[in-house]
Amino acid sequence: MKRLGILISGRGSNFEAIADHIAAGEIPAEIAVVISNRPQARGLEMARGRGLNAVAIPSKGLDREIYDRMLLDELARNSVDLVCLAGFMRLLSASFIRAYPNRVLNIHPSLLPAFPGLDAQRQALEHGVKITGCTVHFVDEELDAGPIILQSAVPVLDDDTVETLSARILEQEHRIYCQAIRIVLEGRYSVTGRRVARA
Ligand code: GRF
């Protein structure tokens, strides 16, 4: 069984969707560890409530290389095969990415490369786009930039607020993140340059 390491910073709804899909037998993996860089993250409580191994590694004030070394040690201690960022609000260093080549995934609430970074749903509303959505991608050293595995489009409605739009995008995030994890774990893909093809 492949072992997942899930990195969070807050609410943890993507983590919960992954845990639910695993429980339903739809993702062939187990959650080896949930790590939060914020000790008060709701997702940590939810993970403990599910009886999972949940660890806080506070990042405040720590140099990126030192912090990422701590993360890598914790992931190695738990024999993690695939790292899933789920609302983890930190950029990872090159040394971290090198330790898990094509083995770190992220979910982002826009159709990348549009609206990388913080508040992607607000950026989409303020730009006036009619379609936005979410993206699951491999993580590289740049912010929200690696090869794209899956995307889902979500229409922007005239009366949308950041909250209503975010809620509709979140439903799609939960769906495509679980689907993408399954594709990667089963090795049903190939990467050529930036293009990820389904095998
Ligand atoms: C999601 O919108 C995700 O796309 C973004 O941060 C949010 C995390 O939500 N990276 P949650 O913690 O998974 O509920």
Side-chain angles (χ1 to χ4, degrees), residues 10-15 86-87 107-109 121 170 173:
R11 181 178 55 184
S13 74
N14 278 284
F15 145 65
I107 176 82
H108 183 77
Q121 304 94 330
L170 194 62
E173 293 185 31

PDB file of all heavy atoms in Angstrom, residues 10-15 86-87 107-109 121 170 173, ligand 1:
ATOM      1  N   GLY A  10      -4.501  24.775   7.288  1.00  0.00           N
ATOM      2  CA  GLY A  10      -5.747  25.330   7.822  1.00  0.00           C
ATOM      3  C   GLY A  10      -6.888  24.346   7.920  1.00  0.00           C
ATOM      4  O   GLY A  10      -6.770  23.291   8.551  1.00  0.00           O
ATOM      5  N   ARG A  11      -7.985  24.691   7.221  1.00  0.00           N
ATOM      6  CA  ARG A  11      -9.268  23.988   7.328  1.00  0.00           C
ATOM      7  C   ARG A  11      -9.172  22.487   7.056  1.00  0.00           C
ATOM      8  O   ARG A  11      -9.795  21.674   7.719  1.00  0.00           O
ATOM      9  CB  ARG A  11     -10.205  24.669   6.321  1.00  0.00           C
ATOM     10  CG  ARG A  11     -11.592  24.151   6.258  1.00  0.00           C
ATOM     11  CD  ARG A  11     -12.368  24.982   5.259  1.00  0.00           C
ATOM     12  NE  ARG A  11     -11.701  25.006   3.943  1.00  0.00           N
ATOM     13  CZ  ARG A  11     -12.117  25.716   2.905  1.00  0.00           C
ATOM     14  NH1 ARG A  11     -13.195  26.476   3.032  1.00  0.00           N
ATOM     15  NH2 ARG A  11     -11.465  25.668   1.763  1.00  0.00           N
ATOM     16  N   GLY A  12      -8.449  22.136   6.001  1.00  0.00           N
ATOM     17  CA  GLY A  12      -8.232  20.708   5.751  1.00  0.00           C
ATOM     18  C   GLY A  12      -9.356  19.977   5.050  1.00  0.00           C
ATOM     19  O   GLY A  12      -9.467  18.750   5.147  1.00  0.00           O
ATOM     20  N   SER A  13     -10.198  20.695   4.278  1.00  0.00           N
ATOM     21  CA  SER A  13     -11.308  19.977   3.620  1.00  0.00           C
ATOM     22  C   SER A  13     -10.806  19.085   2.489  1.00  0.00           C
ATOM     23  O   SER A  13     -11.384  18.016   2.240  1.00  0.00           O
ATOM     24  CB  SER A  13     -12.373  20.950   3.104  1.00  0.00           C
ATOM     25  OG  SER A  13     -11.931  21.623   1.951  1.00  0.00           O
ATOM     26  N   ASN A  14      -9.737  19.476   1.812  1.00  0.00           N
ATOM     27  CA  ASN A  14      -9.176  18.581   0.780  1.00  0.00           C
ATOM     28  C   ASN A  14      -8.591  17.327   1.428  1.00  0.00           C
ATOM     29  O   ASN A  14      -8.770  16.221   0.918  1.00  0.00           O
ATOM     30  CB  ASN A  14      -8.130  19.304  -0.069  1.00  0.00           C
ATOM     31  CG  ASN A  14      -8.768  20.130  -1.175  1.00  0.00           C
ATOM     32  OD1 ASN A  14      -9.225  19.590  -2.184  1.00  0.00           O
ATOM     33  ND2 ASN A  14      -8.843  21.446  -0.978  1.00  0.00           N
ATOM     34  N   PHE A  15      -7.921  17.507   2.570  1.00  0.00           N
ATOM     35  CA  PHE A  15      -7.427  16.335   3.311  1.00  0.00           C
ATOM     36  C   PHE A  15      -8.589  15.399   3.649  1.00  0.00           C
ATOM     37  O   PHE A  15      -8.512  14.179   3.456  1.00  0.00           O
ATOM     38  CB  PHE A  15      -6.689  16.770   4.580  1.00  0.00           C
ATOM     39  CG  PHE A  15      -6.878  15.840   5.729  1.00  0.00           C
ATOM     40  CD1 PHE A  15      -6.379  14.537   5.659  1.00  0.00           C
ATOM     41  CD2 PHE A  15      -7.613  16.217   6.845  1.00  0.00           C
ATOM     42  CE1 PHE A  15      -6.608  13.643   6.694  1.00  0.00           C
ATOM     43  CE2 PHE A  15      -7.849  15.330   7.875  1.00  0.00           C
ATOM     44  CZ  PHE A  15      -7.343  14.033   7.794  1.00  0.00           C
ATOM     45  N   ALA A  86      -2.258  20.277   0.622  1.00  0.00           N
ATOM     46  CA  ALA A  86      -3.705  20.511   0.654  1.00  0.00           C
ATOM     47  C   ALA A  86      -3.959  21.771   1.471  1.00  0.00           C
ATOM     48  O   ALA A  86      -4.199  21.704   2.677  1.00  0.00           O
ATOM     49  CB  ALA A  86      -4.418  19.298   1.245  1.00  0.00           C
ATOM     50  N   GLY A  87      -3.825  22.921   0.787  1.00  0.00           N
ATOM     51  CA  GLY A  87      -3.956  24.183   1.495  1.00  0.00           C
ATOM     52  C   GLY A  87      -2.730  24.460   2.347  1.00  0.00           C
ATOM     53  O   GLY A  87      -2.822  25.071   3.403  1.00  0.00           O
ATOM     54  N   ILE A 107      -3.108  21.269  -5.046  1.00  0.00           N
ATOM     55  CA  ILE A 107      -4.397  21.694  -5.605  1.00  0.00           C
ATOM     56  C   ILE A 107      -4.461  23.214  -5.501  1.00  0.00           C
ATOM     57  O   ILE A 107      -4.107  23.785  -4.461  1.00  0.00           O
ATOM     58  CB  ILE A 107      -5.579  21.040  -4.844  1.00  0.00           C
ATOM     59  CG1 ILE A 107      -6.941  21.537  -5.344  1.00  0.00           C
ATOM     60  CG2 ILE A 107      -5.498  21.263  -3.337  1.00  0.00           C
ATOM     61  CD1 ILE A 107      -7.442  20.865  -6.558  1.00  0.00           C
ATOM     62  N   HIS A 108      -4.879  23.849  -6.597  1.00  0.00           N
ATOM     63  CA  HIS A 108      -4.961  25.321  -6.594  1.00  0.00           C
ATOM     64  C   HIS A 108      -6.328  25.751  -7.127  1.00  0.00           C
ATOM     65  O   HIS A 108      -6.781  25.218  -8.144  1.00  0.00           O
ATOM     66  CB  HIS A 108      -3.833  25.911  -7.457  1.00  0.00           C
ATOM     67  CG  HIS A 108      -3.834  27.404  -7.433  1.00  0.00           C
ATOM     68  ND1 HIS A 108      -3.353  28.127  -6.363  1.00  0.00           N
ATOM     69  CD2 HIS A 108      -4.301  28.307  -8.331  1.00  0.00           C
ATOM     70  CE1 HIS A 108      -3.526  29.420  -6.610  1.00  0.00           C
ATOM     71  NE2 HIS A 108      -4.086  29.558  -7.790  1.00  0.00           N
ATOM     72  N   PRO A 109      -6.970  26.735  -6.484  1.00  0.00           N
ATOM     73  CA  PRO A 109      -8.338  27.105  -6.866  1.00  0.00           C
ATOM     74  C   PRO A 109      -8.448  28.096  -8.025  1.00  0.00           C
ATOM     75  O   PRO A 109      -9.132  29.119  -7.928  1.00  0.00           O
ATOM     76  CB  PRO A 109      -8.920  27.684  -5.564  1.00  0.00           C
ATOM     77  CG  PRO A 109      -7.748  28.284  -4.892  1.00  0.00           C
ATOM     78  CD  PRO A 109      -6.555  27.433  -5.239  1.00  0.00           C
ATOM     79  N   GLN A 121      -9.585  32.914  -6.044  1.00  0.00           N
ATOM     80  CA  GLN A 121     -11.003  33.109  -6.388  1.00  0.00           C
ATOM     81  C   GLN A 121     -11.331  34.606  -6.462  1.00  0.00           C
ATOM     82  O   GLN A 121     -12.054  35.046  -7.353  1.00  0.00           O
ATOM     83  CB  GLN A 121     -11.904  32.420  -5.343  1.00  0.00           C
ATOM     84  CG  GLN A 121     -11.623  30.923  -5.161  1.00  0.00           C
ATOM     85  CD  GLN A 121     -10.652  30.644  -4.020  1.00  0.00           C
ATOM     86  OE1 GLN A 121      -9.770  31.448  -3.707  1.00  0.00           O
ATOM     87  NE2 GLN A 121     -10.807  29.472  -3.401  1.00  0.00           N
ATOM     88  N   LEU A 170     -14.565  24.534  -4.609  1.00  0.00           N
ATOM     89  CA  LEU A 170     -14.096  23.554  -3.616  1.00  0.00           C
ATOM     90  C   LEU A 170     -14.662  22.157  -3.894  1.00  0.00           C
ATOM     91  O   LEU A 170     -13.949  21.154  -3.745  1.00  0.00           O
ATOM     92  CB  LEU A 170     -14.464  24.025  -2.203  1.00  0.00           C
ATOM     93  CG  LEU A 170     -13.772  23.299  -1.049  1.00  0.00           C
ATOM     94  CD1 LEU A 170     -12.248  23.476  -1.093  1.00  0.00           C
ATOM     95  CD2 LEU A 170     -14.304  23.802   0.300  1.00  0.00           C
ATOM     96  N   GLU A 173     -12.548  20.798  -6.452  1.00  0.00           N
ATOM     97  CA  GLU A 173     -11.205  20.488  -5.910  1.00  0.00           C
ATOM     98  C   GLU A 173     -11.206  19.098  -5.302  1.00  0.00           C
ATOM     99  O   GLU A 173     -10.310  18.286  -5.561  1.00  0.00           O
ATOM    100  CB  GLU A 173     -10.815  21.500  -4.820  1.00  0.00           C
ATOM    101  CG  GLU A 173     -10.601  22.909  -5.315  1.00  0.00           C
ATOM    102  CD  GLU A 173     -10.095  23.813  -4.185  1.00  0.00           C
ATOM    103  OE1 GLU A 173      -9.386  23.331  -3.283  1.00  0.00           O
ATOM    104  OE2 GLU A 173     -10.419  25.008  -4.198  1.00  0.00           O
TER     105      GLU A 173
HETATM  106  C1  GRF B   1      -8.176  25.269  -1.228  1.00  0.00           C
HETATM  107  O1  GRF B   1      -8.968  26.201  -1.918  1.00  0.00           O
HETATM  108  C2  GRF B   1      -6.945  24.915  -2.025  1.00  0.00           C
HETATM  109  O2  GRF B   1      -7.168  24.903  -3.389  1.00  0.00           O
HETATM  110  C3  GRF B   1      -6.007  26.024  -1.671  1.00  0.00           C
HETATM  111  O3  GRF B   1      -6.241  26.279  -0.311  1.00  0.00           O
HETATM  112  C4  GRF B   1      -7.571  25.865   0.034  1.00  0.00           C
HETATM  113  C5  GRF B   1      -7.435  24.847   1.120  1.00  0.00           C
HETATM  114  O4  GRF B   1      -8.674  24.403   1.605  1.00  0.00           O
HETATM  115  N1  GRF B   1      -4.646  25.651  -2.005  1.00  0.00           N
HETATM  116  P1  GRF B   1      -8.738  23.178   2.599  1.00  0.00           P
HETATM  117  O5  GRF B   1      -7.758  23.479   3.729  1.00  0.00           O
HETATM  118  O6  GRF B   1      -8.348  21.941   1.836  1.00  0.00           O
HETATM  119  O7  GRF B   1     -10.153  23.135   3.094  1.00  0.00           O
END
